[in-house]
Amino acid sequence: MTSEVADDDWMRAAIAEAQLAEAKGEVPVGAVIVHEGQIIGRGHNERESSQDPTQHAEMIAIRDAAEQLRSWRLIDTALYVTLEPCPMCAGALVNARVPRVIWGCDDPKAGATRTLYNIGSDSRLNHRFDCVPGVLRDECSALLREFFSAIRAKNTPRNGR
């Protein structure tokens, strides 16, 4: 199996996590961490339900994977996430020593691995990770676009109401 095919399969698992978030009324972002061909960490956004600003999909998956490996060093892993990591999550990925980060769609408002910042490839930091953008981009962006479109439609007054 080629890496591209495997990346698509793992991203589909992250999309499934994003769908769990959406079912809870959360912004549909999902993440999985893979180690030796197995998912060892899963997460989806839970900021609204927990009222905790750190409950991003990546942060939850990192905690889950660290618990599974019994180590904060997530060497020989890859994180798959539906949306480009923000500065907080990119920093956590550096600190966790994740060597490879794969995401679906770029985040023009908070992207910290390519769009606004390049935290994962900043040579001033003690760890860097390989970045693979755009895996299943259309599916990942459609989840977010449809979610926010539904919110806007719900909040738009109709005919003077």
Side-chain angles (χ1 to χ4, degrees):
M1 181 174 355
T2 68
S3 177
E4 186 176 310
V5 172
D7 285 349
D8 287 358
D9 291 342
W10 297 125
M11 187 60 73
R12 284 188 183 90
I15 289 171
E17 286 292 321
Q19 291 166 333
L20 292 174
E22 183 175 31
K24 296 178 180 179
E26 300 277 354
V27 175
V29 177
V32 296
I33 295 181
V34 176
H35 175 71
E36 296 179 349
Q38 299 289 324
I39 294 175
I40 61 162
R42 295 179 179 273
H44 55 269
N45 276 3
E46 295 184 10
R47 289 190 311 174
E48 295 299 328
S49 57
S50 68
Q51 290 299 298
D52 179 344
T54 68
Q55 291 296 318
H56 288 203
E58 301 95 309
M59 299 296 285
I60 295 167
I62 288 168
R63 286 185 197 108
D64 192 22
E67 185 176 322
Q68 293 297 317
L69 291 179
R70 297 177 187 230
S71 175
W72 62 267
R73 291 178 187 89
L74 302 182
I75 56 174
D76 299 324
T77 65
L79 174 116
Y80 292 82
V81 62
T82 57
L83 181 66
E84 178 183 6
C86 72
M88 173 183 68
C89 294
L93 292 162
V94 167
N95 285 323
R97 309 298 195 266
V98 173
R100 189 166 182 258
V101 176
I102 304 92
W103 67 91
C105 56
D106 290 344
D107 185 348
K109 294 185 178 184
T113 54
R114 177 170 99 153
T115 305
L116 298 177
Y117 305 100
N118 295 301
I119 291 173
S121 57
D122 191 323
S123 63
R124 296 170 295 178
L125 298 173
N126 65 331
H127 173 76
R128 283 165 294 290
F129 50 77
D130 293 334
C131 295
V132 181
V135 174
L136 300 182
R137 175 186 298 118
D138 294 342
E139 293 91 329
C140 294
S141 60
L143 278 170
L144 291 162
R145 190 173 48 254
E146 292 165 10
F147 176 80
F148 287 112
S149 178
I151 288 176
R152 285 190 296 276
K154 182 179 173 184
N155 293 332
T156 301
R158 296 183 190 169
N159 299 330
R161 285 189 188 178

